[in-house]
Amino acid sequence: MSRTTRTRWRLGLTATAFLVASAVIPAPAHAEDVTDYAITVDPTAKGAKIDDTMYGVFFEDINRAADGGLYAELVQNRSFEYSTDDNKSYTPLTAWTVGGTAQVVNDDGRLNANNRNYLSLGAGSSVTNAGYNTGISVDEGKKYDFSVWARAESGTRLTVSLQDADGTLGTARQVAVRKGGWAQYEVTFAATRTSSDGRLTVASSDAAALDMVSLFPRDTYKHESNGLRKDLAEKIAALHPGFVRFPGGCLVNTGSMQDYSEASGYQRKRSYQWKDTIGPVEQRATNANFWGYNQSYGLGYYEYFRLAEDIGAMPLPVVPALVTGCGQNKAVDDDALLQRHIQDTLDLIEFANGPVTSTWGKKRAEMGHPKPFHLTHIEVGNEENLPTEFFARFKQFRAAIAAKYPNITVISNAGPDDSGTTFDTAWQLNKDADVDMVDEHYYNSPQWFLQNNDRYDSYDRSGPKVFLGEYASGGNTFKNGLAEAAYMTGLERNADVVKLASYAPLFANEDYVQWRPDMVWFNNHASWNSADYEVQKLFMTNVGDRVVPSIATTTPALSGPISGAVGLSTWATTAAYDDVKVTGADGTTLLSDDFSGDASQWTHTGGGSWSLQDGQYVQTDAAAENTMVSAGDPAWHDYDLHVKATKKSGKEGFLVAFGVKDTGNYYWWNLGGWNNTQSAVEQAVDGGKSTLISKAGTIETGRAYDVDIKVRGRQVTLYLDGQEWGSFTDDKPAEPFRQVVTKDAKTGDLIVKVVNAQSAAARTAIDLGGAKVASKARVTTLTADPSAVNSETETPVVPVRSTFDGVADEFMYTFPANSITFLRIKRG
């Protein structure tokens, strides 16, 4: 763009329009491996201010992120509290091997009311703990602190040893247990060898009772923070996050909302409640974790606050709203219980911020932190799928907090999806009530993230601010990182609306995975950064303080028609299909099957079990997921699909597919999905799915539904029992080239951030709008094969730092294929 053209362009756009304008710069002729682009920056225009808290982390105890992860305890099931409530396979002796006689006892001789079980160990007997993953991990020369609570009627001697298959890992230690009641005993090991397969054995000369058997590495992250695994905590700190959201997630809004007490029957499957998690660790109750294991609460609210303080981040706790989510979807109707939880939330704020003379401020001081934690934000609820019921309760929380702590920002949410009936209803309720901030969550395909960079361009600048509390693009390849990076340029461009953002989840122990993808992976002795982590770190450590408006060449809208075969599928459900017919736009019959003969027209590419029964095509495996069968030509386009579908049994409804290219690329209408709570059209691209349109609703068992799908060009209209259910047009390009420019107030640097998510290099003319700049820029580049994945042994996705000497007011820069590049340019 010439200087004359640039001047006219500046005069023709208001500052607001400049922020969201699409470029109208035509792309020059393309070389086979190079694509030409242009970026134009206006340093005189004032873009959105970016808060220091823009990017943060979300910690949830999923994938063994706490016990066996960030919480450095090496003994699994240290208090013998594992239960079938946690996992059907668990017993109180899970992870323990008994030599001799031992039994877990639940009686009045226990250590305390919250710690219900203890181990009765016979004379001359022993117990051995297997730790996590392959065992207990120790490093040669490092120290490890052992402790146990014990009691013995006549006194006894405990022999404590560390060993693996090759022998001892440290000199065995003797512990003399005095006659009488419970007392804590401590010894220290120095590891003589490095091993990740260790076992801890406690043997007793005479009968004894044991509880809270613990082995802790001495070398933890900032030891005063109470035992965080050093390498994992350091990975969080290296991000320099602006906030830490905790403790969940589904842990917060699932299970019983009762407390852990005799009055409530010591309910194990309960929501995460902060008062359970503070005080001496031996007095903290354990709990069933929503993700299928036990959580000890050794890592609790006090430790979360300390972690946030240690890394200079804002603490952002989430409390239950008494409406369960994550598939449970029940509004708890108990006003007394609601008021108790509201008071607990007020008490939490006092625990964080109150003076040592207050009840809960004193409790904080007794735990070792007399100074306040400076809590400023708190979130009520998480992904509630009942927006009206949730919001009625949310308003009571907000009113109580505002009355006592008017400076606290109370955050609401918009449900579990990026769109749909629940999302729309929740947002309207939040807007009408003038809520300060709304938490959005979505997990979509890389394609969706490349298509929706402009998501927040149209949000109301005066409405509730957005907290993007959970997002990820469905994988840990560099392709996923590229898509997320492209999307993050849109978050920054809209930093006046999007005030907080955190990728999720944070951690995954490779041997205990419930959710993929995850930002940091680990086992009992090592940890490694995913490609997504490297992307997040690059953005978090180069945020800037204000957006400098810029525009760039964009990609035209998609114009070819949606094309593909048709398909039938189920998900944890049995269903029957009949009278399938595909008709071209000209009335030509492309496919007709009433299943009166055979099913030879259909190809089975998914799971499950299909057969012909009574003139219907039936999938009979109620546990199978994605049981796709398909028929027709992948080149079909502009057609009408009719199917008669009947749910026979199971958790969900049925799925009717169109535009089927192969097993990873298709559209399907998911009727009665998400445990039969909503219906949606999902698009799968290279195996990653995203939702295009959704509505609440259920599918009845045994009822035959007429399903019709009309495909014309890139527009799709859907009919259920003859009534139009919805429509959409899928014409947004997956834009491969995205940019944002920010300014660092401290250094004066312009930070040009460019994502090139395509296999061709991007030769780019950069116009800095007359800004006086130094000729040399510091460059950080992430580039790799799109399929590259970091692992414990290989890290193909790592930042490369260099310098570029050709910076000027107008200059050329070629961004490598499949790359994320940050240019830090000093002002002259």
Side-chain angles (χ1 to χ4, degrees), residues 409-572:
T409 297
V410 185
I411 302 172
S412 179
N413 75 81
D417 301 301
D418 62 89
S419 60
T421 304
T422 296
F423 179 88
D424 293 339
T425 301
W427 256 107
Q428 192 61 54
L429 290 167
N430 284 304
K431 286 180 180 179
D432 292 345
D434 197 23
V435 168
D436 288 330
M437 189 175 291
V438 177
D439 187 3
E440 293 188 355
H441 295 178
Y442 37 85
Y443 297 90
N444 289 321
S445 68
Q447 169 110 345
W448 185 94
F449 282 93
L450 292 174
Q451 288 178 319
N452 286 279
N453 178 274
D454 62 350
R455 175 180 175 88
Y456 296 107
D457 290 359
S458 59
Y459 271 51
D460 186 350
R461 307 341 255 184
S462 63
K465 302 304 181 185
V466 172
F467 172 21
L468 180 49
E470 297 183 32
Y471 71 99
S473 68
N476 279 140
T477 69
F478 188 54
K479 176 181 178 179
N480 298 102
L482 285 166
E484 290 152 7
Y487 193 72
M488 292 171 78
T489 66
L491 300 183
E492 290 192 6
R493 186 177 66 252
N494 289 286
D496 57 329
V497 169
V498 183
K499 307 306 288 184
L500 307 169
S502 51
Y503 179 100
L506 176 58
F507 285 127
N509 186 322
E510 66 174 352
D511 292 331
Y512 307 94
V513 180
Q514 296 86 43
W515 186 279
R516 298 173 186 267
D518 306 283
M519 192 154 66
V520 175
W521 289 79
F522 65 93
N523 51 37
N524 66 352
H525 63 277
S527 58
W528 53 96
N529 304 333
S530 69
D532 314 76
Y533 176 96
E534 296 297 351
V535 169
Q536 293 293 322
K537 183 178 179 181
L538 187 57
F539 274 84
M540 287 192 200
T541 54
N542 294 277
V543 181
D545 301 280
R546 188 173 290 280
V547 174
V548 181
S550 64
I551 58 172
T553 312
T554 57
T555 300
L558 299 176
S559 56
I562 293 173
S563 61
V566 298
L568 310 171
S569 189
T570 60
W571 197 285

Side-chain angles (χ1 to χ4, degrees), residues 658-739:
F658 56 98
V660 179
K661 294 290 191 183
D662 51 46
T663 56
N665 295 274
Y666 54 86
Y667 301 80
W668 67 19
W669 189 3
N670 185 348
L671 288 142
W674 296 269
N675 289 321
N676 204 14
T677 61
Q678 60 180 305
S679 298
V681 176
E682 298 177 281
Q683 181 185 18
V685 178
D686 295 335
K689 290 199 292 290
S690 55
T691 300
L692 303 181
I693 181 175
S694 68
K695 294 182 179 181
T698 60
I699 292 297
E700 298 175 24
T701 300
R703 174 182 165 188
Y705 290 84
D706 284 310
V707 178
D708 290 276
I709 301 172
K710 180 179 181 180
V711 182
R712 294 292 185 275
R714 301 205 66 83
Q715 183 171 0
V716 177
T717 308
L718 306 114
Y719 302 86
L720 190 62
D721 286 339
Q723 300 297 312
E724 184 174 331
W725 178 88
S727 64
F728 66 92
T729 302
D730 180 27
D731 62 355
K732 295 184 72 172
E735 176 61 67
F737 187 85
R738 291 294 188 185
Q739 96 298 333

